[in-house]
Amino acid sequence: MNAFTGGLLALALISLGAQASEKEIRAKVQAKLGAKVKSITPSPVPGMFEVVAGNSIFYVSEDGNYVLSGNLYSLKDDKLTSLTEKRQDQVRLAAIKPYEASMIVFPAAQQKHVVTVFTDTDCGYCQRLHAHMKQYNDLGITIRYLAFPRAGLSSPAATELESVWCAKDQQAAMNLAKHRQQVPKASCADDPVPEHYQLGRSLNVTGTPSMILDDGTLVPGYLPPERLVKALEKQ
């Protein structure tokens, strides 16, 4: 849970007055929570708005007086379905899209699925994932990397990730890093590692590897090629 979500749980009341407009709700929520409101739309529950802010989802009463953080479930068709999780998948996909140009991509020749992975260079399971890159690609899975130095932006891993992302041949540098070989030091003005790290934190990424499947589902941890393709086929 990040600080933003924790703040939501502690928040019980937004003082707006009766019959608040969508514009008033947006302004007050943004001021109270310090996070940019991306959207406000009617929720499936009458009298409640769905609010997306800071890549998190919560619900505000129609009069703007109450806020609710948590999963909204549907009981239709005798099935328990988290509508919040489904919506969160869409939010994740929208959040990572602006970063596609700065991802390091290992493409499948016959692409069937695209999986985005928050990775660190000194992470054992990240190294195991990378060691099976050919198997992922042979199964039609393209792997796209975003940087997530688990120990923070001042860590040696963050410096190594910067060298990987700023290398002339990023794939070659990533191969060296994942095989624990020395990566030539490199830096660049447009180093994306800090932005990738903050993106991961906003999506509640806490460890590596963390996979975002092509439907937006977040899978925390490593899945070998055969298990990953089964998870993708169940989407």
Side-chain angles (χ1 to χ4, degrees):
M1 180 183 298
N2 58 24
F4 173 70
T5 305
L8 287 180
L9 293 174
L11 184 63
L13 180 65
I14 297 177
S15 300
L16 276 178
Q19 306 301 319
S21 69
E22 184 176 313
K23 184 177 180 180
E24 289 174 313
I25 293 175
R26 179 185 294 270
K28 198 67 174 184
V29 168
Q30 199 154 299
K32 283 281 187 180
L33 301 179
K36 184 177 180 181
V37 175
K38 295 181 177 179
S39 68
I40 297 178
T41 55
S43 80
V45 179
M48 296 289 287
F49 283 103
E50 175 203 271
V51 177
V52 178
N55 293 328
S56 293
I57 297 171
F58 61 101
Y59 304 93
V60 175
S61 61
E62 195 171 44
D63 61 6
N65 284 333
Y66 300 94
V67 60
L68 175 67
S69 174
N71 277 296
L72 175 63
Y73 290 93
S74 168
L75 298 176
K76 290 183 178 179
D77 303 321
D78 296 325
K79 290 175 60 178
L80 184 65
T81 303
S82 174
L83 302 180
T84 306
E85 286 184 10
K86 284 190 172 184
R87 184 72 176 96
Q88 188 69 65
D89 293 345
Q90 298 171 0
V91 170
R92 286 192 198 97
L93 291 178
I96 66 175
K97 189 169 182 58
Y99 298 88
E100 288 179 347
S102 63
M103 296 176 184
I104 298 178
V105 182
F106 288 80
Q110 302 294 326
Q111 180 176 290
K112 299 176 183 177
H113 302 283
V114 177
V115 175
T116 304
V117 181
F118 283 92
T119 193
D120 203 349
T121 52
D122 63 358
C123 154
Y125 279 106
C126 297
Q127 294 159 17
R128 186 178 298 185
L129 185 155
H130 195 79
H132 291 97
M133 188 62 70
K134 184 178 186 302
Q135 289 96 317
Y136 290 113
N137 291 166
D138 288 347
L139 289 169
I141 303 171
T142 289
I143 299 292
R144 311 187 302 185
Y145 282 131
L146 289 165
F148 192 81
R150 295 164 298 161
L153 292 174
S154 60
S155 66
T159 301
E160 187 172 47
L161 285 165
E162 178 185 5
S163 294
V164 171
W165 255 266
C166 293
K168 289 183 179 179
D169 187 335
Q170 294 177 321
Q171 285 193 349
M174 184 68 79
N175 289 336
L176 288 173
K178 292 300 177 71
H179 288 92
R180 304 316 299 143
Q181 298 177 25
Q182 186 172 0
V183 180
K185 288 188 177 181
S187 60
C188 50
D190 56 349
D191 168 28
V193 173
E195 289 188 349
H196 288 186
Y197 179 69
Q198 296 302 334
L199 171 66
R201 285 172 57 88
S202 76
L203 294 174
N204 292 324
V205 171
T206 57
T208 55
S210 286
M211 302 181 176
I212 299 179
L213 308 189
D214 45 19
D215 69 346
T217 301
L218 177 64
V219 178
Y222 166 72
L223 289 180
E226 296 78 9
R227 286 183 59 192
L228 180 57
V229 77
K230 287 180 180 178
L232 290 165
E233 289 172 351
K234 286 181 180 178
Q235 293 176 153

